[in-house]
Amino acid sequence: MINHRPTVELRAVESSAVRESIDRAKHAEREGRWAEACAVYEQLVRDPDALSTTRLAALRWLGRAYLEQGNRGAALDVLEAAVTSASIVGSPRTVAQALNVVGIVYQVGGDLDQAATIYAAAREKAGLGGDGALIAMIDQNLGTVAMIRGDLRAALEAFRLSHLGYQTLGMRNHEAQILNNIALAYMELGELADAEIAYNEAARTFEEEGDHARQLDLAVNKVQLYIAGRRYDEALTQCQALLSVAKDEAAPWRGEVMRHIGVIARERGDLPQAAENLHKAEQHAIESGDLLLRADVAEQLAEVYWAQKRHRDMLQSLNEAHSLYSQMKAQHRVAQVEKRNGALESRFLEMAKHWGDSIESKDRYTQGHCERVAFFACVLADSSGFNSRSLFWFRIGALLHDIGKIIVPMEVLNKPGKLTEEEWAIMRRHPEAGLELVADIDFPGDIRAIIRNHHERWDGAGYPDGLKGEAIPFAARILCVADVYDALTTTRSYRPGLTHIRASEIMRASTGQFDPQLLETFLDWAETADIPGRPTPQRMAIFASGVGS
Ligand SMILES: [Fe+2]
């Protein structure tokens, strides 16, 4: 979305020295030298030669500059002072301007409720002050907040109001910026025809205004429209045209265009070409420090690897995207990151489940095993006090716990009778094989322990490390209980599924296998829980052999 920065006009006559300072600071801002801009604004705030309106405006600009430097606390302090001073000495318009920037600080910090409340207050003051441009600007910000929240109809309504305001004032360039936002909202709604109308109108306006830079930004956004409408030829033509413009310059959107080319290749089934272009986009994103693009490219690469069945690389890319989103959150660039990260986590879980399933599908008796184990294990982890963040990673680990079974031949996995010594030796290698698969992925939390140690026994007689008691990682002890319970209560190649009562008896009798406390907590829960697909007493098995695999 085209970034919107509030513009403020000076209406009083200022001394030339003060005007020069303002120009210098604004120039520094445009070039991203925020520390320099801050220094000038700090001087202006205290400059006795400056008009009071200028000193007030400088407080607001200073707040904005602190925000750009990532210093939200300082920004809020300065802006609160600006609001207070404006309330005492200024007009409603001045108060509205200061409140608007306070709203921006909260919005950037991800506190959308507070931002919306403050924007509404700012809008009211701007109305009292009769400042149409400021009202349009605030409507634009209200629309952006609604869009981040996912309330796209409200966003469209606010953007339309803003557009009308700018139109009435003849502010053509602002009109076009808002049309770009309207197009993005229609895109999110999947209403591509309306998005295209808005883009085309914005493009015409930018052209008339001679705003070449924004015309190009818009053209980059429009590629997404073509991709969404599966108009790949047009999308590619547009990308090539953009790249030829950016040939000799470091256009900020170059990486984004490479990303688009990668996505087009992927959608057309040319996976090697897709990977190559996405890697180029990744390189641009790294060079320009664009974390959002890097995260996005990593997500797209995960999809390519998924299609290529390169599951390990897929996990690595998903993990990278996730860690980038976490970094962005830490930098308080939260709002849209929160939403995108939520979508990424869902996709992450989905891909982990699919991979788990694809390994299981070699074993026709264990369909859905990974997902059920993950469900049981998460219930137990939750009752053991894992927070939601740890639970996410715990769930990923539980879904992936048996990925090492990829090394076990299908005839061994599906063998109805007893395994030979040699076959058992292969089967027992799966925890280590699983860990080797994820060895160079920088996973957080307990994933490695779950994969490697889910066949350890409380008495130390398990494998692969023969760990004993509390030396076994807690997450692996949980997984062991969940894994065995599911193995017992579902039909296997060598026996039908058991009821809860029979499974409990077997697990309790398997002295030394489980953490006793975790086992009791789990069986207590499972006794009364409504577990889909649980065997009924009519299907009660009369024999059982083998506990887990
Ligand atoms: Fe296993």
Side-chain angles (χ1 to χ4, degrees):
M1 189 183 300
I2 289 176
N3 192 21
H4 177 74
R5 296 226 169 98
T7 53
V8 182
E9 295 146 28
L10 283 177
R11 292 192 178 156
V13 180
E14 214 21 297
S15 75
S16 60
V18 170
R19 291 209 64 86
E20 261 172 40
S21 294
I22 295 170
D23 288 346
R24 201 166 72 243
K26 293 285 167 196
H27 184 68
E29 273 191 12
R30 276 194 297 277
E31 294 192 345
R33 289 179 279 116
W34 293 101
E36 192 182 325
C38 280
V40 179
Y41 293 142
E42 279 163 6
Q43 269 174 12
L44 273 175
V45 167
R46 295 187 213 95
D47 188 344
D49 294 337
L51 294 172
S52 64
T53 47
T54 301
R55 291 205 299 272
L56 211 51
L59 263 181
R60 203 165 57 243
W61 297 329
L62 184 57
R64 212 29 243 231
Y66 280 148
L67 180 66
E68 290 291 342
Q69 285 188 304
N71 193 347
R72 282 187 71 224
L76 278 177
D77 286 348
V78 166
L79 290 165
E80 265 170 33
V83 173
T84 311
S85 309
S87 306
I88 298 165
V89 298
S91 63
R93 177 178 174 272
T94 330
V95 178
Q97 283 172 330
L99 282 172
N100 183 42
V101 189
V102 176
I104 292 171
V105 177
Y106 280 109
Q107 181 183 329
V108 171
D111 190 343
L112 300 181
D113 289 340
Q114 187 69 1
T117 307
I118 289 167
Y119 285 144
R123 196 182 192 283
E124 202 188 320
K125 290 284 181 193
L128 288 175
D131 188 332
L134 188 55
I135 294 173
M137 195 184 292
I138 296 166
D139 281 334
Q140 182 169 351
N141 292 343
L142 279 165
T144 310
V145 168
M147 197 151 160
I148 295 166
R149 278 176 166 159
D151 190 349
L152 298 168
R153 293 291 167 201
L156 272 176
E157 203 176 312
F159 288 149
R160 290 238 169 266
L161 272 177
S162 174
H163 182 247
L164 197 64
Y166 287 135
Q167 206 170 30
T168 311
L169 295 163
M171 296 170 72
R172 301 278 289 149
N173 197 292
H174 284 75
E175 252 184 77
Q177 290 178 47
I178 276 290
L179 282 166
N180 173 74
N181 290 6
I182 288 173
L184 287 170
Y186 276 129
M187 284 277 295
E188 293 265 326
L189 284 164
E191 294 171 18
L192 303 185
D194 286 325
E196 190 160 11
I197 292 169
Y199 273 140
N200 289 344
E201 203 182 326
R204 270 196 304 275
T205 311
F206 282 138
E207 193 172 357
E208 283 164 24
E209 291 285 292
D211 190 338
H212 187 57
R214 287 217 165 89
Q215 238 179 312
L216 291 175
D217 284 344
L218 195 78
V220 177
N221 285 353
K222 207 172 166 191
V223 175
Q224 214 147 19
L225 171 88
Y226 292 140
I227 292 175
R230 299 178 169 277
R231 292 155 65 183
Y232 300 129
D233 287 339
E234 285 163 275
L236 204 56
T237 308
Q238 182 103 317
C239 286
Q240 279 152 357
L242 280 161
L243 287 182
S244 70
V245 171
K247 214 179 330 185
D248 301 318
E249 50 183 308
W253 37 260
R254 204 183 159 94
E256 208 168 324
V257 172
M258 300 310 303
R259 170 201 170 278
H260 286 321
I261 295 175
V263 171
I264 296 164
R266 192 191 65 214
E267 293 301 317
R268 285 178 154 168
D270 187 347
L271 300 178
Q273 184 72 18
E276 189 187 323
N277 282 290
L278 289 171
H279 282 305
K280 283 185 195 164
E282 186 183 31
Q283 204 49 44
H284 280 285
I286 292 169
E287 280 164 17
S288 61
D290 186 339
L291 292 186
L292 196 57
L293 180 61
R294 260 183 84 184
D296 189 60
V297 168
E299 264 188 275
Q300 301 294 341
L301 269 170
E303 298 288 342
V304 172
Y305 294 141
W306 171 246
Q308 290 176 316
K309 298 199 190 313
R310 289 165 61 184
H311 298 118
R312 202 205 63 85
D313 293 331
M314 169 193 88
L315 283 185
Q316 192 158 32
S317 291
L318 285 171
N319 191 50
E320 189 189 336
H322 197 273
S323 109
L324 287 164
Y325 282 129
S326 305
Q327 280 181 48
M328 283 184 270
K329 275 200 239 179
Q331 290 174 5
H332 297 289
R333 294 162 63 183
V334 187
Q336 87 259 36
V337 170
E338 199 74 65
K339 186 179 156 201
R340 296 180 63 150
N341 196 39
L344 174 82
E345 289 191 352
S346 306
R347 190 71 182 125
F348 205 148
L349 286 167
E350 200 180 341
M351 286 188 175
K353 180 171 107 53
H354 274 278
W355 191 19
D357 279 349
S358 74
I359 290 157
E360 275 174 47
S361 68
K362 287 166 79 181
D363 179 354
R364 64 196 168 90
Y365 288 102
T366 58
Q367 291 291 315
H369 172 63
C370 285
E371 205 180 354
R372 287 189 307 269
V373 169
F375 169 62
F376 292 147
C378 282
V379 168
L380 198 45
D382 190 22
S383 72
S384 305
F386 280 48
N387 62 29
S388 61
R389 199 91 299 278
S390 312
L391 271 178
F392 169 73
W393 289 110
F394 185 82
R395 190 163 154 76
I396 295 281
L399 287 166
L400 298 175
H401 76 277
D402 265 346
I403 47 170
K405 280 192 178 168
I406 206 156
I407 61 155
V408 183
M410 200 187 299
E411 55 274 20
V412 176
L413 282 176
N414 288 329
K415 189 172 177 179
K418 261 192 136 185
L419 298 184
T420 64
E421 206 42 50
E422 200 179 324
E423 287 164 343
W424 256 118
I426 300 173
M427 189 66 115
R428 286 162 66 99
R429 273 254 316 129
H430 82 267
E432 286 162 287
L435 194 69
E436 281 160 26
L437 274 171
V438 298
D440 54 357
I441 305 180
D442 184 24
F443 273 137
D446 302 312
I447 293 185
R448 285 159 191 277
I450 289 174
I451 293 174
R452 185 177 175 97
N453 297 118
H454 68 277
H455 287 290
E456 303 291 352
R457 290 175 55 104
W458 187 248
D459 60 11
Y463 61 92
D465 297 320
L467 299 177
K468 191 174 178 181
E470 291 187 356
I472 307 167
F474 190 62
R477 278 183 263 156
I478 291 179
L479 205 283
C480 177
V481 172
D483 193 19
V484 173
Y485 183 82
D486 185 67
L488 289 173
T489 53
T490 49
T491 297
R492 288 296 166 110
S493 53
Y494 41 83
R495 54 143 179 78
L498 308 180
T499 60
H500 167 76
I501 294 173
R502 187 73 190 110
S504 305
E505 283 168 7
I506 292 173
M507 288 176 82
R508 286 195 176 107
S510 180
T511 321
Q513 183 168 7
F514 308 105
D515 176 332
Q517 210 175 333
L518 281 177
L519 179 64
E520 287 314 313
T521 307
F522 180 75
L523 292 179
D524 274 356
W525 168 81
E527 192 179 349
T528 53
D530 182 16
I531 301 168
R534 161 187 271 178
T536 60
Q538 287 73 30
R539 289 171 56 209
M540 186 186 284
I542 49 165
F543 66 91
S545 65
V547 178
S549 57

